[in-house]
Amino acid sequence: GEPLMPPTKDKHARMASRRFELVEETLAARASALELPRPLVNLIAKAVAFDPMRRFQSPGLFLDAIRATRAEMAGGSHAGGPIRPSGPLTIFVVEANQKLQDIFREKFKRLGFRVLISADPIQALKRYQQQAYHAVLIDAGSAPNARAAVDAFGDLLKFARENRLETAGVLVVNEDQRAWADEYEGSLTAAAFVRPVTMNQITKALRDLVPELASHASGPQSGNAEM
């Protein structure tokens, strides 16, 4: 029931830019006075951040964060850990090659994914910011602008980390782009492949990175096409 901003009847004071620029400092001071728990303060701080891009980008992301905060404050088993995106198991594939789009769609549906596909890596990032999904595969090697595709991959994983979201990433590059793949060596949330790469390799990486797939028997894989 306590207002975040100091109440005032002065119209100019209410609209002063400084009042909004200092919102996080104001929150810190109010939280200390009210002895609010740190997880709750972190949640509110993100919701009211002065920079719009630091706020929750969709109601779904806000709801996931609220659930995680409740668990953390209650000392639940997942307290303080990463948040699994809500909704059906979903993968977003960025692929410019129509034939590979069809292969990915069929293969990932058999794995149990709902499959979203686009040739535009920016669409994958925008969609994730609005409604997080569980995995992303970006084929930078087939993209008209490979550097932009790799940047979108990195931005998406960075957004996931900043929002404590547990999302798996798979990046595919060509031989002359190997240095971009090396950036993800040893990553716990992403795998990068340099062509040639097989569907079996990509499937195995997803099984290792996506908890929902870990319990599925791997077995012999059909359609082990080389990309």
Side-chain angles (χ1 to χ4, degrees):
E2 296 284 344
L4 176 58
M5 301 292 188
T8 177
K9 294 182 179 180
D10 187 326
K11 177 181 178 182
H12 297 291
R14 287 201 306 271
M15 299 304 296
S17 60
R18 187 73 171 163
R19 177 180 170 90
F20 300 96
E21 292 169 358
L22 294 177
V23 63
E24 290 170 72
E25 288 84 346
T26 301
L27 172 61
R30 299 292 295 147
S32 177
L34 295 171
E35 298 183 347
L36 297 181
R38 175 50 54 186
L40 182 58
V41 175
N42 292 341
L43 176 73
I44 298 172
K46 185 169 180 61
V48 303
F50 179 71
D51 180 357
M53 293 309 297
R54 289 182 54 212
R55 301 175 202 152
F56 297 104
Q57 299 299 300
S58 72
L61 290 176
F62 196 7
L63 180 58
D64 287 343
I66 290 173
R67 288 170 173 160
T69 299
R70 283 177 172 170
E72 188 172 357
M73 292 174 63
S77 58
H78 299 288
I83 306 166
R84 293 298 292 159
S86 56
L89 187 64
T90 302
I91 186 170
F92 198 116
V93 176
V94 176
E95 176 56 65
N97 184 298
Q98 182 64 54
K99 181 178 179 180
L100 288 177
Q101 283 188 6
D102 295 339
I103 292 174
F104 283 134
R105 183 182 292 107
E106 179 186 356
K107 184 69 173 181
F108 293 154
K109 280 185 177 179
R110 288 207 304 267
L111 280 178
F113 282 112
R114 181 172 69 115
V115 184
L116 307 176
I117 294 184
S118 173
D120 184 358
I122 302 303
Q123 288 303 314
L125 177 59
K126 289 182 177 179
R127 178 63 178 262
Y128 189 84
Q129 291 172 334
Q130 292 300 315
Q131 180 60 60
Y133 39 82
H134 302 80
V136 61
L137 183 150
I138 294 185
D139 182 1
S142 74
N145 187 334
R147 180 70 257 184
V150 173
D151 288 344
F153 183 79
D155 290 343
L156 191 152
L157 294 183
K158 179 182 178 182
F159 183 87
R161 289 194 302 272
E162 291 176 346
N163 288 274
R164 293 170 53 201
L165 292 164
E166 187 177 0
T167 294
V170 176
L171 178 68
V172 178
V173 299
N174 295 336
E175 175 60 38
D176 60 344
Q177 302 159 349
R178 178 179 293 274
W180 295 340
D182 291 343
E183 296 176 16
Y184 294 95
E185 185 175 355
S187 172
L188 298 178
T189 60
F193 295 98
V194 179
R195 280 189 168 87
V197 58
T198 67
M199 283 300 300
N200 274 1
Q201 289 175 292
I202 292 174
T203 299
K204 182 181 184 305
L206 286 171
R207 289 186 186 280
D208 291 340
L209 294 169
V210 181
E212 289 87 343
L213 301 180
S215 60
H216 293 192
S218 55
Q221 300 295 324
S222 60
N224 188 28
E226 184 177 278
M227 294 174 56

